[in-house]
Amino acid sequence: AMLRAARGEAESIENQGKARMEQEKRQAHEELASLAAEMERQELSQAKLDARNALLRAKKELIEQTLAKAQQKLAKLGHEKKRQLYATMLKRGQATMKVAHVYCSKDDMLLVKKLGNLNVHPANIPGGLIVENEQQTVRLDMSFSNILERVKEDHLTQIHKILFASADESKEDTKPVKGKKVKRKVKR
């Protein structure tokens, strides 16, 4: 009788242990499945973020390429168009200060000298003008690269719409990021 009671107790303990192991095994499987699902969600979220960042980098690169092409076209303007543009730039500069010094690309120096009695200096710019007063304390940078940078800063939303209208028709517009105006040092 005692042996039977001991066997019954041993069997009961064994059954309880098996039940506890089964419960812990189920719980471990549930936790593992939950963890796997969370990891999958995180990986998917990271993949979406990476794809979005890659798209933004590609769009930024396309905008930069477009502005670079615009700068090249401006630098290759015909003589008369460039003369008119530079005359307009000089008038704008003279409305701001008494222009005494003008910086331009080496290729444009002769053209600029013909626009007035100015001290014309070569500058490492692809086109456009940088004007200064006599004391060289006030400067207005109207180089093509600076003008295009300002256009990009001030009109990023419109540039984005023009370049990506068909791809982004269903998306919200990105607001332009305002930054400081770009000031370039003139190499003399």
Side-chain angles (χ1 to χ4, degrees):
M2 209 165 171
L3 189 58
R4 203 177 311 145
R7 281 188 189 152
E9 193 174 320
E11 196 174 300
S12 174
I13 292 171
E14 184 181 343
N15 287 340
Q16 286 175 358
K18 285 181 181 179
R20 191 178 320 141
M21 276 183 41
E22 280 299 314
Q23 182 182 1
E24 287 177 9
K25 189 176 175 182
R26 270 194 310 273
Q27 191 175 353
H29 280 292
E30 288 172 5
E31 287 176 9
L32 187 60
S34 176
L35 185 60
E38 179 60 27
M39 287 177 64
E40 189 175 319
R41 279 191 298 276
Q42 286 178 353
E43 287 176 7
L44 181 60
S45 179
Q46 184 63 44
K48 286 180 181 179
L49 181 62
D50 291 347
R52 184 172 184 265
N53 286 339
L55 179 62
L56 289 174
R57 281 191 305 275
K59 285 181 176 182
K60 182 181 177 188
E61 180 64 28
L62 183 59
I63 288 171
E64 293 300 326
Q65 288 174 2
T66 302
L67 292 174
K69 285 180 184 177
Q71 186 170 313
Q72 289 171 354
K73 284 185 177 185
L74 285 170
K76 293 179 182 178
L77 282 176
H79 181 79
E80 184 56 27
K81 283 187 177 187
K82 198 177 273 192
R83 187 194 65 73
Q84 290 172 354
L85 179 61
Y86 287 176
T88 301
M89 288 178 168
L90 273 176
K91 285 179 187 173
R92 181 171 175 219
Q94 289 166 341
T96 306
M97 71 185 97
K98 184 177 183 333
V99 175
H101 300 276
V102 179
Y103 300 89
C104 63
S105 71
K106 288 180 183 179
D107 295 340
D108 294 336
M109 286 184 67
L110 186 59
L111 173 67
V112 175
K113 284 180 181 179
K114 291 179 181 179
L115 294 176
N117 187 18
L118 303 162
N119 294 316
V120 180
H121 310 279
N124 188 17
I125 59 175
L129 304 176
I130 299 171
V131 297
E132 289 181 334
N133 64 353
E134 182 66 40
Q135 298 79 19
Q136 296 180 310
T137 56
V138 179
R139 172 179 284 189
L140 179 59
D141 186 342
M142 296 177 285
S143 62
F144 293 160
S145 55
N146 191 47
I147 290 170
L148 289 170
E149 186 63 31
R150 285 193 319 245
V151 166
K152 182 178 93 174
E153 289 174 3
D154 295 345
H155 302 287
L156 186 60
T157 301
Q158 293 89 338
I159 292 169
H160 189 274
K161 281 181 185 177
I162 291 167
L163 291 177
F164 308 112
S166 62
D168 291 344
E169 284 177 346
S170 63
K171 295 182 181 178
E172 265 186 51
D173 292 328
T174 304
K175 297 286 181 201
V177 177
K178 292 283 184 175
K180 289 185 173 183
K181 298 292 182 204
V182 176
K183 291 187 178 183
R184 298 182 58 182
K185 292 212 173 204
V186 179
K187 291 186 180 178
R188 296 184 184 166

